[in-house]
Amino acid sequence: MGTDKETQSRSNDIMEKSTYTIRPCCLEDLEGVINVNEKELPEDYPYFFYKSILDSFPESFLVAINEDGHIIGYIMWRVERLPALNSLNLIRKGHLVSIAVSKDYRRKGIAWELLVKSMPEIRRRKISEYVLEVRVSNYGAINLYKRLGYKIDSIKKKYYRDGENAYFMIKTVNNPL
Ligand code: ACO
Ligand code: ZN
């Protein structure tokens, strides 16, 4: 039941929603992170999975919040230790576990900023490459990763529960710490 004044202030709210802040995730944010994940991606995880990533890799777990303080995006990484080819040495990879941005806030550079701010953080863990899987049909995300220097390494057949293939994408860390 809007007076003109209310209508005006509501449309101002909508305009202002394009401003956002990026900061490290905290425990109280996990509910909002899970909400975004469940709306934007078919791959859902149990609460303890988010919690364990937050406990182990907090500095590269970031959230984007709007002016009302609502979570509108997140990114989380973990480090995996894998045997190097032809050697017993373990190499450390930064694995992009998940990134998503709410539909109303897309194409504003939020995912770009989440990636650019979190990659140096996970890199400090002495990784030699950044890796990720993405659905072969996910043109937008693939384009985003390519623009950041990720290259398609291989295809993981039927990687997703619905049978879709994944591209395995890699970006080498030029000067491992
Ligand atoms: N189509 C083409 N290019 C795109 C698209 C798109 N839909 N989205 C992003 N890009 C590229 C563009 O080059 C864009 O720059 P431009 O807008 O100047 O052209 C650049 O990436 C930066 O885009 P952002 O605005 O930073 O991306 P956004 O905040 O919209 O988020 C994301 C992109 C995360 C892929 C979003 O669309 C999303 O949440 N999708 C659903 C969830 C998802 O698919 N997540 C990735 C799964 S894979 C994984 O998590 C490892
Ligand atoms: Zn993965």
Side-chain angles (χ1 to χ4, degrees):
M1 297 283 168
T3 61
D4 280 353
K5 213 171 184 179
E6 280 165 352
T7 312
Q8 183 61 42
S9 97
R10 224 173 285 136
S11 64
N12 284 344
D13 285 349
I14 290 162
M15 300 275 290
E16 284 163 14
K17 287 216 171 92
S18 60
T19 61
Y20 65 91
T21 312
I22 288 180
R23 60 159 173 75
C25 182
C26 57
L27 200 55
E28 297 72 45
D29 296 326
L30 284 186
E31 202 183 314
V33 168
I34 292 169
N35 276 335
V36 172
N37 169 273
E38 287 181 351
K39 283 208 184 77
E40 310 304 339
L41 275 170
E43 287 71 48
D44 299 334
Y45 313 99
Y47 178 87
F48 75 79
F49 179 77
Y50 294 91
K51 172 77 165 52
S52 73
I53 301 240
L54 184 59
D55 287 342
S56 304
F57 307 103
E59 71 286 347
S60 52
F61 194 153
L62 306 181
V63 291
I65 55 172
N66 69 9
E67 290 217 322
D68 303 331
H70 294 127
I71 310 259
I72 53 165
Y74 68 87
I75 189 166
M76 54 182 182
W77 293 82
R78 69 178 171 200
V79 173
E80 288 165 2
R81 295 160 196 82
L82 300 162
L85 276 183
N86 307 319
S87 130
L88 291 174
N89 292 340
L90 291 184
I91 58 165
R92 298 160 62 84
K93 300 180 181 199
H95 189 139
L96 176 57
V97 177
S98 185
I99 178 172
V101 172
S102 298
K103 278 193 190 64
D104 292 348
Y105 296 88
R106 297 217 185 135
R107 296 309 281 271
K108 298 175 190 302
I110 298 180
W112 183 274
E113 196 172 329
L114 287 167
L115 279 153
V116 164
K117 288 194 163 153
S118 59
M119 284 168 63
E121 299 299 334
I122 198 71
R123 188 187 158 174
R124 280 202 207 126
R125 304 223 179 206
K126 301 186 170 67
I127 56 165
S128 57
E129 50 192 34
Y130 308 98
V131 300
L132 63 89
E133 293 95 7
V134 58
R135 286 176 180 267
V136 297
S137 65
N138 195 344
Y139 171 77
I142 295 165
N143 197 30
L144 166 70
Y145 302 139
K146 282 187 173 164
R147 282 195 59 199
L148 282 160
Y150 287 77
K151 301 222 153 55
I152 295 173
D153 172 79
S154 51
I155 293 180
K156 294 192 179 183
K157 293 257 176 215
K158 298 195 176 161
Y159 181 78
Y160 297 98
R161 253 183 307 182
D162 60 9
E164 185 167 349
N165 295 344
Y167 285 133
F168 184 57
M169 298 184 75
I170 296 181
K171 180 178 161 72
T172 304
V173 172
N174 291 325
N175 301 301
L177 296 175

